[in-house]
Amino acid sequence: MIVVKNVRILGGEPADIRIDQGVIAEIGQGLSGGEEIDGGGAVALPGLVDLHTHLREPGREDAETVQTGTRSAARGGYTAVHAMANTSPVADTAGVVEQVWRLGREFGHCDVHPVGAVTVGLEGRQLAELGAMADSAARVRVFSDDGRCVDDAVLMRRALEYVKAFDGVVAQHAQEPRLTQGAQMNEGVVSGRLGLTGWPAVAEEAIIARDCLLAAHVGSRLHVCHVSTAGSVEIIRWAKSKGWDVTAEVTPHHLLLTDDLVEDSPVGAYNPIYKVNPPLRTRADVEALRAALADGTIDIVATDHAPHPVEDKETEWSAAAMGMVGLETALSVVQEAMVETGLLDWAGVAQRMSAVPARIGRLSGQGQPLEEGAPANITLYDPSARTEVDPSAFASKSRNTPYEGMTLPGRVVATFLRGRPTVLEGKLV
Ligand SMILES: [Zn+2]
């Protein structure tokens, strides 16, 4: 039995939480008995849930493993992550998703829910074994070719039809491949000045519009990964106004960073640390994404944690890999972009980083409100802390963060997974 003393649930009045056998047994004041942990007035949130994490195992264990990636997740306050399918081999069979699921059970510092590929080998030609992955021990409910777009409309329609049988969802990386061939950064004023091939907003928006129409046509669930443009927000708002079952995510970096960093930043011009897919966009896009997350048009924050080894990032811009690590800075970036700006309170953060991602992934036992009888998945967060981001201190195997040297608000003090601390006093247990 553990009693966590002096925490503020969703930022409310001070309270104590008694945890017994993995469950929140009692919430009240002046609780005692068993092991006592001082919460120090931290904000208590339900354990965070990420719908979009790249754990890289199997195949790229030099970048991340299930063990290091879930350590990174726990440090960031997460109690569950969805592991993307673009591994090697691709997670497109029951065998591979069960392998990832078993690695999570054995080495995970949080729950690991494998995402299944939509198409065999992510090649966009033939549907993968969606039903077998859903029926496997991993019980896959989220399917995505993330990193690539399912651009064939017939295949996308079939995938949407197929997943209805087991209440699954197709999570689309919306990017029309012909419109983004050779793209290096956002298409706009900055790409024009730098002479880099641009990634037009319409490449994302056209696929989102098509997929919303397809999802409505077949009556299925669609989830849009990492929305990055103001136009995408308008399309999703329209789809929701029709009552269609469409959800969307935004990454922390798209809520804070803009494309002019490619030209001029604290770490110089053309620094590939800012190279990411979809690309960083404009200030107007960032403002639209923040407003959409605040009003619920965008449902959740998902990290798109994309670890890469140094040699794949510290190279010339055109050759560098796309992506950023994000698990250990997500909550701080959301505080900076959404809480400090008055757009969200802690209850709103809990919805968008725990309850709703758990619901989209159809997870039971995650994302539940902190109340008596709920599983004790709890994140304690000190919003008054200020921390200079030091990648060498990351639990992730990779260091490719765009926030190095920046001072961000807040610090994850502790994380509990079914009552067991995975992080205490900011350190892995
Ligand atoms: Zn993606």
Side-chain angles (χ1 to χ4, degrees):
M1 191 162 66
I2 298 175
V3 174
V4 185
K5 305 278 292 178
N6 186 25
V7 297
R8 295 181 298 123
I9 294 174
L10 304 181
E13 294 304 307
D16 305 337
I17 301 176
R18 185 200 310 282
I19 300 170
D20 196 16
Q21 299 190 0
V23 171
I24 297 175
E26 190 178 4
I27 296 173
Q29 301 207 323
L31 304 186
S32 59
E35 184 191 345
E36 292 191 4
I37 293 172
D38 179 14
V43 172
L45 301 169
L48 306 184
V49 176
D50 196 13
L51 202 64
H52 192 149
T53 309
H54 296 276
L55 292 178
R56 301 294 190 221
E57 190 175 4
R60 284 308 300 267
E61 290 83 355
D62 58 326
E64 197 77 286
T65 64
V66 169
Q67 185 173 47
T68 60
T70 56
R71 279 182 176 156
S72 181
R75 281 281 302 275
Y78 287 86
T79 51
V81 298
H82 288 77
M84 272 299 171
N86 62 340
T87 48
S88 179
V90 171
D92 59 2
T93 63
V96 179
V97 294
E98 284 189 347
Q99 180 192 353
V100 174
W101 177 76
R102 278 201 196 88
L103 286 166
R105 298 262 290 197
E106 191 167 353
F107 300 110
H109 293 248
C110 67
D111 291 348
V112 174
H113 297 280
V115 173
V118 177
T119 68
V120 174
L122 310 174
E123 287 179 350
R125 293 204 194 94
Q126 182 189 343
L127 278 192
E129 303 171 357
L130 308 184
M133 290 189 274
D135 291 341
S136 75
R139 295 183 51 77
V140 175
R141 289 295 177 273
V142 182
F143 296 87
S144 183
D145 274 3
D146 181 61
R148 300 212 193 148
C149 179
V150 182
D151 66 313
D152 183 314
V154 174
L155 268 181
M156 187 63 183
R157 175 190 177 159
R158 281 207 203 109
L160 287 163
E161 281 171 341
Y162 205 113
V163 299
K164 276 169 70 176
F166 38 83
D167 197 21
V169 64
V170 180
Q172 174 73 293
H173 178 123
Q175 177 182 301
E176 210 291 315
R178 294 271 293 144
L179 283 170
T180 50
Q181 234 163 33
Q184 295 289 322
M185 67 172 298
N186 178 47
E187 180 179 299
V189 178
V190 182
S191 69
R193 266 203 304 269
L194 296 179
L196 289 174
T197 304
W199 209 306
V202 65
E204 176 173 309
E205 294 155 6
I207 293 290
I208 295 176
R210 181 203 75 177
D211 287 354
C212 288
L213 292 164
L214 281 175
H217 183 64
V218 306
S220 189
R221 288 206 288 150
L222 170 72
H223 178 73
V224 185
C225 295
H226 41 51
V227 170
S228 72
T229 79
S232 298
V233 167
E234 287 308 308
I235 294 161
I236 293 160
R237 189 170 283 137
W238 165 75
K240 287 191 162 175
S241 77
K242 298 281 201 181
W244 299 342
D245 204 349
V246 174
T247 56
E249 71 190 33
V250 61
T251 71
H253 47 273
H254 288 108
L255 290 171
L256 195 65
L257 307 176
T258 50
D259 65 348
D260 47 2
L261 290 163
V262 181
E263 184 175 36
D264 181 27
S265 82
V267 288
Y270 296 101
N271 192 315
I273 203 71
Y274 300 115
K275 189 173 175 186
V276 64
N277 178 0
L280 301 178
R281 305 283 189 181
T282 66
R283 177 53 52 189
D285 292 308
V286 167
E287 294 303 329
L289 294 169
R290 289 181 181 188
L293 184 63
D295 73 17
T297 302
I298 294 179
D299 303 80
I300 65 168
V301 174
T303 67
D304 196 6
H305 176 82
H308 290 292
V310 170
E311 61 272 21
D312 290 355
K313 279 305 262 189
E314 290 186 7
T315 175
E316 76 210 68
W317 180 276
S318 63
M322 291 180 278
M324 304 167 167
V325 293
L327 288 166
E328 289 169 74
T329 48
L331 198 44
S332 288
V333 173
V334 169
Q335 184 184 347
E336 171 100 357
M338 302 299 296
V339 180
E340 310 268 285
T341 51
L343 290 166
L344 283 184
D345 58 13
W346 292 111
V349 172
Q351 280 294 310
R352 287 155 182 81
M353 296 183 77
S354 177
V356 182
R359 197 184 307 147
I360 294 169
R362 296 295 190 254
L363 304 185
S364 54
Q366 292 281 352
Q368 295 181 13
L370 298 181
E371 54 192 30
E372 289 169 16
N377 297 316
I378 306 170
T379 300
L380 300 185
Y381 184 71
D382 174 10
S384 68
R386 308 283 300 174
T387 316
E388 186 175 319
V389 178
D390 174 11
S392 71
F394 282 170
S396 171
K397 214 173 208 185
S398 290
R399 303 280 179 261
N400 51 305
T401 174
Y403 310 115
E404 179 168 8
M406 270 178 75
T407 299
L408 290 176
R411 187 174 85 105
V412 172
V413 180
T415 309
F416 296 86
L417 177 62
R418 286 180 288 279
R420 184 175 60 85
T422 54
V423 170
L424 279 179
E425 294 176 6
K427 296 189 179 65
L428 287 164
V429 175

